[in-house]
Amino acid sequence: MTLSQERILATEIPGPRSQALQARKVASVSAGVGTTLPVYVEQAGGGILRDVDGNQLIDFGSGIAVTTVGNAAPRVVESVQRQVADFTHTCFMVTPYEEYVAVCEKLAALTPGSHEKRSALFNSGAEAVENAVKVARHHTGRDAVVVFDHAYHGRTNLTMALTAKNMPYKHRFGPFAGEIYRAPMAYPYRWPGGAEACADEAFDAFVTTVHTRVGEDNCAAVLIEPIQGEGGFIVPPPGWLPRVADWCREQGILFIADEIQTGFARTGDWFACDHEGVVPDLVTTAKGMAGGLPLAAVTGRAEIMDSVHVGGLGGTYGGNPVACAAALAAIETMEVEDLPGRAREIEAIFLPRLRALAERHPDRVGDVRGRGAMLAVELVADGPGRTPDAALAGAVHRACAAQGLVTLTCGTFGNVFRFLPPLAIGNELLAEGLDVFEAAFDQAVASDQRGKVE
Ligand code: PLZ
């Protein structure tokens, strides 16, 4: 790794070169494509993003949970360079190549369950989710798909319908695809009956939704993120997910786990479903799988995946050889370096500090949650009612950025501060990033209180 693993503040952030590039962006890129932090990156690796002004920022976002193995990870670089020099594309549907098959073999070995599996490869997470729904409908002969409050599954027409949140994902982009039904999510912190009652009551509410609004026999699939990502890093209570999966199996409803954000070592297991031994019928993956190259997959029971007629699944670029080469190298890195174990180490470093922050600010940190290197704090306003405080999350985010720490927020109410560091980050940078975050938090809370006094 040529990039020094240190935070450097060379200019204000964003610096003059980034600002000049941002002016070009505004004049050439659709305003619909936003940027969280207009700092233009020149090089990245380990836990560092280096910008065009010579600033080096600590990365607590991994490009939204993608660069799990680190940016430009050595094995990925080597594998991609070799592949790109051999050939860049043939189209797997025309003349196939080994790398695609090898990725599918890895997916069969690593995804939950020891049953026989088949996979199909695509370019983006949304495309994988779309195809999982296609396969589920085709196999079951049923139309309806049940999703949950706070769900995020993508931005294409079908996946917008599956996604819960209006702004910014759906607003004025309808009409949306039909036969999508939504059940309450088991969200312990905000469950009306309280966290203790959440598992049972949310299970009953789910069953009632399917029974009364859909009808079990009309339901092709239940689709869920085992830990919700964009919706707020919502971890369902223990036991709930296995109960939902078991009930689906009894009804002949396919259980689809969207592991696009949680999969591939992120949560301290290979997949978040592994934590409770849940075995989905279909799994969607993307993001961390290919070290930053666009690759996604649907993996599922052989009899389901093979039920589709020849030619029913595909796409020009799906399983592109360069992306597959990257995935094979990224997966090898995860295996050799035990990155699920590394994610658990990161949890052990983060959680005590996040809990200490919550103790210092009991009125503002409502909840600390997550698993592995997918952790979050939910921020609330002073006073009763657990009122979501997106303004505080935004203020902390900006204060972190000014000090050279890249962070992300999420949540239906925009008030969840999430941590998704690359698993290749060193412990010193982790600790320094947490120092910056804590100082930014104290500062944002203090200025918020001053604002209220004045
Ligand atoms: N399913 C669980 O997390 C992508 C989206 C960011 P694509 N999440 C980040 C944004 O604002 O667009 C995601 C996900 C889960 C599906 C997707 C969609 O994956 O590769 O972005 O299409």
Side-chain angles (χ1 to χ4, degrees), residues 64 124-126 152-155 169 225 230 258 260-261 287:
I64 322 188
S124 68
Y152 184 90
H153 298 292
R155 294 173 180 265
Y169 309 121
E225 301 153 82
E230 303 307 302
D258 181 345
I260 285 166
Q261 190 153 162
K287 290 193 185 274

Side-chain angles (χ1 to χ4, degrees), residues 11 13 63 98 190 200 204 227 340 381 393 446:
T11 67
I13 289 176
E98 181 178 349
R190 293 195 179 276
D200 286 342
D204 291 346
I227 296 177

Side-chain angles (χ1 to χ4, degrees), residues 66-70 73-80 98-111 119 121 259 263-266 269-271 285-297 299 320-341 423:
V66 171
T67 54
T68 302
V69 295
R75 283 187 191 82
V76 173
V77 171
E78 198 267 329
S79 181
V80 163
E98 181 178 349
E99 290 76 8
Y100 187 118
V101 177
V103 169
C104 295
E105 288 168 348
K106 275 286 169 200
L107 283 162
L110 292 170
T111 53
S119 293
L121 304 184
E259 292 255 15
F264 282 104
R266 176 53 61 186
D269 291 288
W270 277 99
F271 293 90
T285 51
K287 290 193 185 274
M289 167 162 62
L293 275 84
L295 187 69
T299 303
N320 168 272
V322 182
C324 286
L328 292 171
I331 294 167
E332 186 190 329
T333 304
M334 293 177 198
E335 287 175 322
V336 171
E337 297 181 4
D338 181 23
L339 291 191
L423 304 184

